[in-house]
Amino acid sequence: MQLKAVCATTKPSSLLTELPPLGMDVASITDDFRRYYNYTLGCDGDCLSTHYPYKALVLTLRDRLMERWKKSKYAARTKDCKHAYYLSLEFLMGRALGNTMLNLGITDEVGKSLYELGLRLEELAEVEMDAGLGNGGLGRLAACFLDSCATLRLPVMGYGIRYEYGMFRQLIENGYQVEEPDHWLRDGNPWEIERPEHTKRIRFGGRSEHYRDADGRMRVRWVDTHDVLAVPYDVPIPGYRNGVVNTLRLWQAAATDVFDLGEFNAGSYPESVAAKNEAENITMVLYPNDASENGKELRLRQQYFLASASLQDVLTRWVRSYGNDFSRFAENNTFQLNDTHPACAVAELMRLLMDEYGLGWEEAWEITSNTMAYTNHTLLPEALEKWPVRMFERLLPRLLEIIYEINARFLGGVAARWPGDTDRLRRMSLIEEGPEPQIRMAFLAIVGSFSVNGVAALHSRLLVEGLFRDFYELWPEKFNNKTNGVTQRRWLAGCNPALSELISENIGEGWKTDLEQLRQLRPLTEDHEFRAAWRAVKRLNKRRLAELVEAECGVRFDLDAMFDVQVKRMHEYKRQLLNILHVIHLYDRIKRGDTKEWVPRCVIIGGKAAPGYAMAKLIIKLINNVAGVVNNDPEVGDHLKVVFLPNYRVSAMEIICPGTDLSEQISTAGKEASGTGNMKFMMNGAITIGTLDGANIEIREEVGEENFFLFGLTAAEVEAVRKNYNPAAIVAADEDLGRVMQLLGSGHFNQFEPGLFEPVIHSILSPFDPWVVAADFRSYVDAQRRAAELYRDQERWTRMSILNTAASGKFSTDRTMREYNEEIWKLTPIEPQGE
Ligand code: 26Q
């Protein structure tokens, strides 16, 4: 870890002279692979584990990334090259192997090389663990952003945390979710490179001390702190066939060196080791909540740890190039905050500029507030982060002082603009008063940023009309929308090779970097042969998905059935409950013999529940119990199958979305900020059944209302209905819903567990159900019927499927990143040498 001595030595220039580029042909790949396998990894005839060839392959590929990585770094180091930094507590990267080969353009060569060596690429790819360093949408969005930035040649660096344990593995036991730790680094991570020479020191606790510096100026220093080291690990982020490799820098916590510890603990060895553990705890585990778990001290430590290490890293590089002149810092650097999770960066940049580099408040604030940009990802008030002032004071006393000063100056401005409006001051204060005063991190982020954006048109509008209204009145120019996207490299080219090939045969390969080109598929909807080919591809992908389902759940799917899929985090607002009520309704119809012109369905639901979220976990249990009854009823047979697919994750979605017919996007309107799964399904030719929520609205606009199954109340209607909501009356008036509630209430799905689902029944019948499940039931069931009827006409369904893919161009993160860059970052693309 202590490489200071090593770094101090100057490198002989002969070490760094450029080597001839590594071959991208089969023979070169084979040579390197064998060298790694035999020498580096020391394999012989006794090495049976597939881990060795996997690792040899990664090292072979990493070398090819490395030369491009260096050139990209040099290209981005030219004077005044502006950078953006994506600060995120989550990067849900999934696997890197397939994506690396795709972006380097050597998938076929590698496949051939391995084949000649008697190995199968598909088998080696399965060895790689998902890098599950995120919960869901927000974390996966960060990963898609990095892919697009590298592809657009933008000098963007990701900063995150190298969690020892990522998102938990979900097992299902007796229908219940059981969490298992995800020790993804157990066999090492061959993609990453440790960079101990860029280690940073992070302080906690202590107190601030005011003093006069040599020039007689009042300064502040933070003393008596407990320090932790932040050690960076760099992960390469290749662009698509353009010679660019950007960096994702992940910080790992380490104890300050043992001598300090020994002294601090007065020679008490066990206490000293305990202190080491406490330091290393910071990056031990990802918090598995996709909504909030407010007030946990370790989480705040993680947030500050990331913000401080990343800012120090950028400032160190700045000072190396420009000395202590920060006048052009804001012109050359932007920090994009992925939600409020890294928002203490606002106060930390102020601290570093003032306390470490001696700037005055005004100068530091000018820089900070022109450097930070904030993205909001939620409208749920309970998910807005707040930290108890008392905890902040104990852990980050100097930051609290700075936040108080930011608040005082900010409220001064508000009072000047709205004299005498004390209620407004209370509403807008960065500190929420009460028995336990709290810091409102979203407000800190808004005040400290020059840009605030939502992630879909509806979401951005609701933000300025609701939660952030007061701030919008003050600074309308700060607020903007950036509709999310997904990268078509992973989510079409990589995960759906059969469809990609069919598309490219017909319209060329341009769509891989210009997704709008998929529009050229539109005329092909009238081509009978093309439609047949499209259906054949879907069937192939359905077979792959059915195999996964059978392996995981032991249930056989009929490939002619409609594959109806909802995969996403488990949350009441996403209404997996509404989905399973529809399944119960279908079961009820079958049992009543109401099966004329029946369309067989296979329903897949998957997703993780936060370990402390009892209702979400109970809904998982309900889905599994309904599945148990439905799948084992001979009368139901192939009319209907239902499974809860365990351990939903990035690599599972790569099999799921290509094989889906119907994409369930059924959140209560006004609650889902954007959704991004909806875009992956659409790109792969699934048709959406959905509410007017998040990016669904824009999906429907792009594909046309006739190619989207719309149902449910609008966001405005939901708010109106809730004021006078009477679900019991809705149940009484709807025979179908009445029978579903009757089946649920009778214990039909919990014969041996009486009363188990009472909380679920109660929530549906509650006049205070925020998600208005009962209110949308009828319209949902009707939309499902329209979907089924349409599915019976396979030619029409195929047309709609093609049109969905053809209209998905807007939902590429290439478009999203272009917008961030044109309107927020303003970076110039880099041009690495020799590409
Ligand atoms: C907060 C405090 C303490 C612990 C955890 C958290 C926490 C962690 C993760 C809070 C929220 C998240 C994740 C939120 C998220 O994934 N939001 C989703 O972001 C997507 C990308 O913009 C959107 O498409 C989804 O609509 C939105 O739900």
Side-chain angles (χ1 to χ4, degrees), residues 531-553:
R531 287 201 305 273
W534 191 271
R535 263 197 305 279
V537 167
K538 182 58 85 177
R539 199 177 172 84
L540 188 98
N541 289 324
K542 285 172 80 167
R543 173 164 295 123
R544 200 161 57 128
L545 175 51
E547 281 164 9
L548 175 75
V549 166
E550 187 168 2
E552 293 283 328
C553 313

PDB file of all heavy atoms in Angstrom, residues 531-553:
ATOM      1  N   ARG A 531     -40.913  -9.906 -41.344  1.00  0.00           N
ATOM      2  CA  ARG A 531     -41.701 -10.171 -40.131  1.00  0.00           C
ATOM      3  C   ARG A 531     -41.486 -11.593 -39.647  1.00  0.00           C
ATOM      4  O   ARG A 531     -41.353 -11.845 -38.441  1.00  0.00           O
ATOM      5  CB  ARG A 531     -43.185  -9.913 -40.382  1.00  0.00           C
ATOM      6  CG  ARG A 531     -43.555  -8.444 -40.497  1.00  0.00           C
ATOM      7  CD  ARG A 531     -45.042  -8.235 -40.237  1.00  0.00           C
ATOM      8  NE  ARG A 531     -45.900  -9.057 -41.101  1.00  0.00           N
ATOM      9  CZ  ARG A 531     -46.310  -8.704 -42.325  1.00  0.00           C
ATOM     10  NH1 ARG A 531     -45.963  -7.530 -42.825  1.00  0.00           N
ATOM     11  NH2 ARG A 531     -47.087  -9.502 -43.030  1.00  0.00           N
ATOM     12  N   ALA A 532     -41.440 -12.517 -40.583  1.00  0.00           N
ATOM     13  CA  ALA A 532     -41.224 -13.918 -40.199  1.00  0.00           C
ATOM     14  C   ALA A 532     -39.855 -14.067 -39.539  1.00  0.00           C
ATOM     15  O   ALA A 532     -39.708 -14.753 -38.520  1.00  0.00           O
ATOM     16  CB  ALA A 532     -41.333 -14.824 -41.424  1.00  0.00           C
ATOM     17  N   ALA A 533     -38.855 -13.390 -40.101  1.00  0.00           N
ATOM     18  CA  ALA A 533     -37.503 -13.456 -39.529  1.00  0.00           C
ATOM     19  C   ALA A 533     -37.488 -12.838 -38.127  1.00  0.00           C
ATOM     20  O   ALA A 533     -36.848 -13.344 -37.200  1.00  0.00           O
ATOM     21  CB  ALA A 533     -36.514 -12.737 -40.441  1.00  0.00           C
ATOM     22  N   TRP A 534     -38.196 -11.720 -37.996  1.00  0.00           N
ATOM     23  CA  TRP A 534     -38.293 -11.025 -36.698  1.00  0.00           C
ATOM     24  C   TRP A 534     -38.901 -11.965 -35.636  1.00  0.00           C
ATOM     25  O   TRP A 534     -38.416 -12.076 -34.516  1.00  0.00           O
ATOM     26  CB  TRP A 534     -39.163  -9.767 -36.867  1.00  0.00           C
ATOM     27  CG  TRP A 534     -39.152  -8.806 -35.718  1.00  0.00           C
ATOM     28  CD1 TRP A 534     -39.996  -8.829 -34.643  1.00  0.00           C
ATOM     29  CD2 TRP A 534     -38.283  -7.678 -35.524  1.00  0.00           C
ATOM     30  NE1 TRP A 534     -39.711  -7.785 -33.794  1.00  0.00           N
ATOM     31  CE2 TRP A 534     -38.661  -7.055 -34.316  1.00  0.00           C
ATOM     32  CE3 TRP A 534     -37.229  -7.137 -36.268  1.00  0.00           C
ATOM     33  CZ2 TRP A 534     -38.032  -5.914 -33.817  1.00  0.00           C
ATOM     34  CZ3 TRP A 534     -36.598  -5.997 -35.779  1.00  0.00           C
ATOM     35  CH2 TRP A 534     -36.992  -5.403 -34.565  1.00  0.00           C
ATOM     36  N   ARG A 535     -39.975 -12.675 -36.046  1.00  0.00           N
ATOM     37  CA  ARG A 535     -40.636 -13.616 -35.129  1.00  0.00           C
ATOM     38  C   ARG A 535     -39.710 -14.770 -34.757  1.00  0.00           C
ATOM     39  O   ARG A 535     -39.676 -15.217 -33.623  1.00  0.00           O
ATOM     40  CB  ARG A 535     -41.909 -14.185 -35.765  1.00  0.00           C
ATOM     41  CG  ARG A 535     -43.179 -13.477 -35.361  1.00  0.00           C
ATOM     42  CD  ARG A 535     -44.410 -14.315 -35.684  1.00  0.00           C
ATOM     43  NE  ARG A 535     -44.455 -14.704 -37.105  1.00  0.00           N
ATOM     44  CZ  ARG A 535     -44.884 -13.899 -38.085  1.00  0.00           C
ATOM     45  NH1 ARG A 535     -45.308 -12.668 -37.795  1.00  0.00           N
ATOM     46  NH2 ARG A 535     -44.902 -14.326 -39.327  1.00  0.00           N
ATOM     47  N   ALA A 536     -38.950 -15.225 -35.751  1.00  0.00           N
ATOM     48  CA  ALA A 536     -38.045 -16.354 -35.486  1.00  0.00           C
ATOM     49  C   ALA A 536     -36.992 -15.956 -34.452  1.00  0.00           C
ATOM     50  O   ALA A 536     -36.646 -16.739 -33.563  1.00  0.00           O
ATOM     51  CB  ALA A 536     -37.377 -16.809 -36.786  1.00  0.00           C
ATOM     52  N   VAL A 537     -36.494 -14.718 -34.568  1.00  0.00           N
ATOM     53  CA  VAL A 537     -35.507 -14.236 -33.600  1.00  0.00           C
ATOM     54  C   VAL A 537     -36.138 -14.162 -32.210  1.00  0.00           C
ATOM     55  O   VAL A 537     -35.559 -14.592 -31.214  1.00  0.00           O
ATOM     56  CB  VAL A 537     -34.960 -12.854 -34.013  1.00  0.00           C
ATOM     57  CG1 VAL A 537     -34.193 -12.211 -32.871  1.00  0.00           C
ATOM     58  CG2 VAL A 537     -34.075 -12.969 -35.248  1.00  0.00           C
ATOM     59  N   LYS A 538     -37.339 -13.611 -32.144  1.00  0.00           N
ATOM     60  CA  LYS A 538     -38.014 -13.510 -30.843  1.00  0.00           C
ATOM     61  C   LYS A 538     -38.188 -14.898 -30.219  1.00  0.00           C
ATOM     62  O   LYS A 538     -37.960 -15.099 -29.025  1.00  0.00           O
ATOM     63  CB  LYS A 538     -39.359 -12.802 -31.003  1.00  0.00           C
ATOM     64  CG  LYS A 538     -40.158 -12.587 -29.720  1.00  0.00           C
ATOM     65  CD  LYS A 538     -39.411 -11.779 -28.659  1.00  0.00           C
ATOM     66  CE  LYS A 538     -39.546 -10.283 -28.839  1.00  0.00           C
ATOM     67  NZ  LYS A 538     -38.870  -9.527 -27.736  1.00  0.00           N
ATOM     68  N   ARG A 539     -38.521 -15.858 -31.058  1.00  0.00           N
ATOM     69  CA  ARG A 539     -38.737 -17.206 -30.542  1.00  0.00           C
ATOM     70  C   ARG A 539     -37.449 -17.807 -29.973  1.00  0.00           C
ATOM     71  O   ARG A 539     -37.439 -18.430 -28.922  1.00  0.00           O
ATOM     72  CB  ARG A 539     -39.293 -18.089 -31.665  1.00  0.00           C
ATOM     73  CG  ARG A 539     -39.961 -19.333 -31.142  1.00  0.00           C
ATOM     74  CD  ARG A 539     -40.554 -20.151 -32.274  1.00  0.00           C
ATOM     75  NE  ARG A 539     -41.027 -21.432 -31.747  1.00  0.00           N
ATOM     76  CZ  ARG A 539     -42.217 -21.570 -31.179  1.00  0.00           C
ATOM     77  NH1 ARG A 539     -43.052 -20.554 -31.078  1.00  0.00           N
ATOM     78  NH2 ARG A 539     -42.583 -22.761 -30.707  1.00  0.00           N
ATOM     79  N   LEU A 540     -36.365 -17.558 -30.698  1.00  0.00           N
ATOM     80  CA  LEU A 540     -35.052 -18.020 -30.228  1.00  0.00           C
ATOM     81  C   LEU A 540     -34.741 -17.418 -28.847  1.00  0.00           C
ATOM     82  O   LEU A 540     -34.286 -18.100 -27.938  1.00  0.00           O
ATOM     83  CB  LEU A 540     -34.013 -17.543 -31.241  1.00  0.00           C
ATOM     84  CG  LEU A 540     -32.591 -18.030 -31.128  1.00  0.00           C
ATOM     85  CD1 LEU A 540     -32.417 -19.190 -32.097  1.00  0.00           C
ATOM     86  CD2 LEU A 540     -31.597 -16.919 -31.470  1.00  0.00           C
ATOM     87  N   ASN A 541     -35.013 -16.124 -28.721  1.00  0.00           N
ATOM     88  CA  ASN A 541     -34.735 -15.450 -27.449  1.00  0.00           C
ATOM     89  C   ASN A 541     -35.691 -15.906 -26.350  1.00  0.00           C
ATOM     90  O   ASN A 541     -35.330 -15.925 -25.178  1.00  0.00           O
ATOM     91  CB  ASN A 541     -34.813 -13.935 -27.641  1.00  0.00           C
ATOM     92  CG  ASN A 541     -33.641 -13.412 -28.456  1.00  0.00           C
ATOM     93  OD1 ASN A 541     -32.515 -13.922 -28.328  1.00  0.00           O
ATOM     94  ND2 ASN A 541     -33.882 -12.421 -29.301  1.00  0.00           N
ATOM     95  N   LYS A 542     -36.919 -16.253 -26.750  1.00  0.00           N
ATOM     96  CA  LYS A 542     -37.861 -16.778 -25.766  1.00  0.00           C
ATOM     97  C   LYS A 542     -37.402 -18.152 -25.279  1.00  0.00           C
ATOM     98  O   LYS A 542     -37.571 -18.478 -24.104  1.00  0.00           O
ATOM     99  CB  LYS A 542     -39.279 -16.851 -26.355  1.00  0.00           C
ATOM    100  CG  LYS A 542     -39.941 -15.480 -26.467  1.00  0.00           C
ATOM    101  CD  LYS A 542     -41.256 -15.508 -27.220  1.00  0.00           C
ATOM    102  CE  LYS A 542     -42.422 -15.991 -26.376  1.00  0.00           C
ATOM    103  NZ  LYS A 542     -43.730 -15.729 -27.029  1.00  0.00           N
ATOM    104  N   ARG A 543     -36.810 -18.912 -26.170  1.00  0.00           N
ATOM    105  CA  ARG A 543     -36.314 -20.227 -25.750  1.00  0.00           C
ATOM    106  C   ARG A 543     -35.207 -20.052 -24.710  1.00  0.00           C
ATOM    107  O   ARG A 543     -35.194 -20.722 -23.676  1.00  0.00           O
ATOM    108  CB  ARG A 543     -35.801 -21.016 -26.959  1.00  0.00           C
ATOM    109  CG  ARG A 543     -35.108 -22.332 -26.569  1.00  0.00           C
ATOM    110  CD  ARG A 543     -34.917 -23.314 -27.707  1.00  0.00           C
ATOM    111  NE  ARG A 543     -36.205 -23.788 -28.206  1.00  0.00           N
ATOM    112  CZ  ARG A 543     -36.617 -23.683 -29.468  1.00  0.00           C
ATOM    113  NH1 ARG A 543     -35.816 -23.134 -30.359  1.00  0.00           N
ATOM    114  NH2 ARG A 543     -37.794 -24.121 -29.834  1.00  0.00           N
ATOM    115  N   ARG A 544     -34.302 -19.115 -24.963  1.00  0.00           N
ATOM    116  CA  ARG A 544     -33.206 -18.838 -24.044  1.00  0.00           C
ATOM    117  C   ARG A 544     -33.765 -18.418 -22.674  1.00  0.00           C
ATOM    118  O   ARG A 544     -33.318 -18.869 -21.635  1.00  0.00           O
ATOM    119  CB  ARG A 544     -32.335 -17.720 -24.641  1.00  0.00           C
ATOM    120  CG  ARG A 544     -30.943 -17.622 -24.094  1.00  0.00           C
ATOM    121  CD  ARG A 544     -30.017 -16.820 -25.034  1.00  0.00           C
ATOM    122  NE  ARG A 544     -30.500 -15.483 -25.323  1.00  0.00           N
ATOM    123  CZ  ARG A 544     -29.766 -14.352 -25.174  1.00  0.00           C
ATOM    124  NH1 ARG A 544     -28.526 -14.438 -24.724  1.00  0.00           N
ATOM    125  NH2 ARG A 544     -30.255 -13.179 -25.479  1.00  0.00           N
ATOM    126  N   LEU A 545     -34.779 -17.560 -22.701  1.00  0.00           N
ATOM    127  CA  LEU A 545     -35.392 -17.093 -21.450  1.00  0.00           C
ATOM    128  C   LEU A 545     -36.110 -18.245 -20.746  1.00  0.00           C
ATOM    129  O   LEU A 545     -36.005 -18.402 -19.522  1.00  0.00           O
ATOM    130  CB  LEU A 545     -36.360 -15.935 -21.753  1.00  0.00           C
ATOM    131  CG  LEU A 545     -37.187 -15.384 -20.588  1.00  0.00           C
ATOM    132  CD1 LEU A 545     -36.315 -15.036 -19.385  1.00  0.00           C
ATOM    133  CD2 LEU A 545     -37.978 -14.151 -21.042  1.00  0.00           C
ATOM    134  N   ALA A 546     -36.814 -19.060 -21.542  1.00  0.00           N
ATOM    135  CA  ALA A 546     -37.535 -20.192 -20.946  1.00  0.00           C
ATOM    136  C   ALA A 546     -36.560 -21.157 -20.271  1.00  0.00           C
ATOM    137  O   ALA A 546     -36.870 -21.745 -19.231  1.00  0.00           O
ATOM    138  CB  ALA A 546     -38.351 -20.915 -22.007  1.00  0.00           C
ATOM    139  N   GLU A 547     -35.382 -21.303 -20.868  1.00  0.00           N
ATOM    140  CA  GLU A 547     -34.377 -22.188 -20.258  1.00  0.00           C
ATOM    141  C   GLU A 547     -33.910 -21.629 -18.913  1.00  0.00           C
ATOM    142  O   GLU A 547     -33.716 -22.373 -17.948  1.00  0.00           O
ATOM    143  CB  GLU A 547     -33.189 -22.375 -21.206  1.00  0.00           C
ATOM    144  CG  GLU A 547     -33.478 -23.374 -22.318  1.00  0.00           C
ATOM    145  CD  GLU A 547     -32.486 -23.316 -23.487  1.00  0.00           C
ATOM    146  OE1 GLU A 547     -31.451 -22.613 -23.389  1.00  0.00           O
ATOM    147  OE2 GLU A 547     -32.770 -23.970 -24.511  1.00  0.00           O
ATOM    148  N   LEU A 548     -33.732 -20.334 -18.861  1.00  0.00           N
ATOM    149  CA  LEU A 548     -33.350 -19.698 -17.598  1.00  0.00           C
ATOM    150  C   LEU A 548     -34.433 -19.916 -16.545  1.00  0.00           C
ATOM    151  O   LEU A 548     -34.152 -20.283 -15.395  1.00  0.00           O
ATOM    152  CB  LEU A 548     -33.116 -18.190 -17.816  1.00  0.00           C
ATOM    153  CG  LEU A 548     -32.819 -17.377 -16.555  1.00  0.00           C
ATOM    154  CD1 LEU A 548     -31.397 -17.630 -16.063  1.00  0.00           C
ATOM    155  CD2 LEU A 548     -33.026 -15.875 -16.795  1.00  0.00           C
ATOM    156  N   VAL A 549     -35.684 -19.708 -16.961  1.00  0.00           N
ATOM    157  CA  VAL A 549     -36.806 -19.862 -16.023  1.00  0.00           C
ATOM    158  C   VAL A 549     -36.875 -21.307 -15.526  1.00  0.00           C
ATOM    159  O   VAL A 549     -37.047 -21.555 -14.334  1.00  0.00           O
ATOM    160  CB  VAL A 549     -38.138 -19.447 -16.694  1.00  0.00           C
ATOM    161  CG1 VAL A 549     -39.330 -19.903 -15.881  1.00  0.00           C
ATOM    162  CG2 VAL A 549     -38.173 -17.931 -16.913  1.00  0.00           C
ATOM    163  N   GLU A 550     -36.718 -22.237 -16.443  1.00  0.00           N
ATOM    164  CA  GLU A 550     -36.812 -23.638 -16.015  1.00  0.00           C
ATOM    165  C   GLU A 550     -35.679 -23.987 -15.055  1.00  0.00           C
ATOM    166  O   GLU A 550     -35.885 -24.667 -14.052  1.00  0.00           O
ATOM    167  CB  GLU A 550     -36.817 -24.586 -17.212  1.00  0.00           C
ATOM    168  CG  GLU A 550     -37.093 -26.013 -16.769  1.00  0.00           C
ATOM    169  CD  GLU A 550     -37.403 -26.991 -17.903  1.00  0.00           C
ATOM    170  OE1 GLU A 550     -37.377 -26.559 -19.082  1.00  0.00           O
ATOM    171  OE2 GLU A 550     -37.663 -28.168 -17.600  1.00  0.00           O
ATOM    172  N   ALA A 551     -34.473 -23.494 -15.354  1.00  0.00           N
ATOM    173  CA  ALA A 551     -33.326 -23.778 -14.487  1.00  0.00           C
ATOM    174  C   ALA A 551     -33.515 -23.149 -13.099  1.00  0.00           C
ATOM    175  O   ALA A 551     -33.175 -23.741 -12.080  1.00  0.00           O
ATOM    176  CB  ALA A 551     -32.044 -23.255 -15.129  1.00  0.00           C
ATOM    177  N   GLU A 552     -34.073 -21.944 -13.060  1.00  0.00           N
ATOM    178  CA  GLU A 552     -34.180 -21.215 -11.783  1.00  0.00           C
ATOM    179  C   GLU A 552     -35.437 -21.581 -10.998  1.00  0.00           C
ATOM    180  O   GLU A 552     -35.421 -21.566  -9.768  1.00  0.00           O
ATOM    181  CB  GLU A 552     -34.185 -19.702 -12.046  1.00  0.00           C
ATOM    182  CG  GLU A 552     -32.884 -19.148 -12.590  1.00  0.00           C
ATOM    183  CD  GLU A 552     -31.820 -19.015 -11.504  1.00  0.00           C
ATOM    184  OE1 GLU A 552     -32.201 -18.758 -10.340  1.00  0.00           O
ATOM    185  OE2 GLU A 552     -30.628 -19.180 -11.822  1.00  0.00           O
ATOM    186  N   CYS A 553     -36.528 -21.825 -11.720  1.00  0.00           N
ATOM    187  CA  CYS A 553     -37.823 -21.979 -11.048  1.00  0.00           C
ATOM    188  C   CYS A 553     -38.440 -23.357 -11.252  1.00  0.00           C
ATOM    189  O   CYS A 553     -39.458 -23.683 -10.643  1.00  0.00           O
ATOM    190  CB  CYS A 553     -38.821 -20.932 -11.545  1.00  0.00           C
ATOM    191  SG  CYS A 553     -38.160 -19.260 -11.615  1.00  0.00           S
TER     192      CYS A 553
END
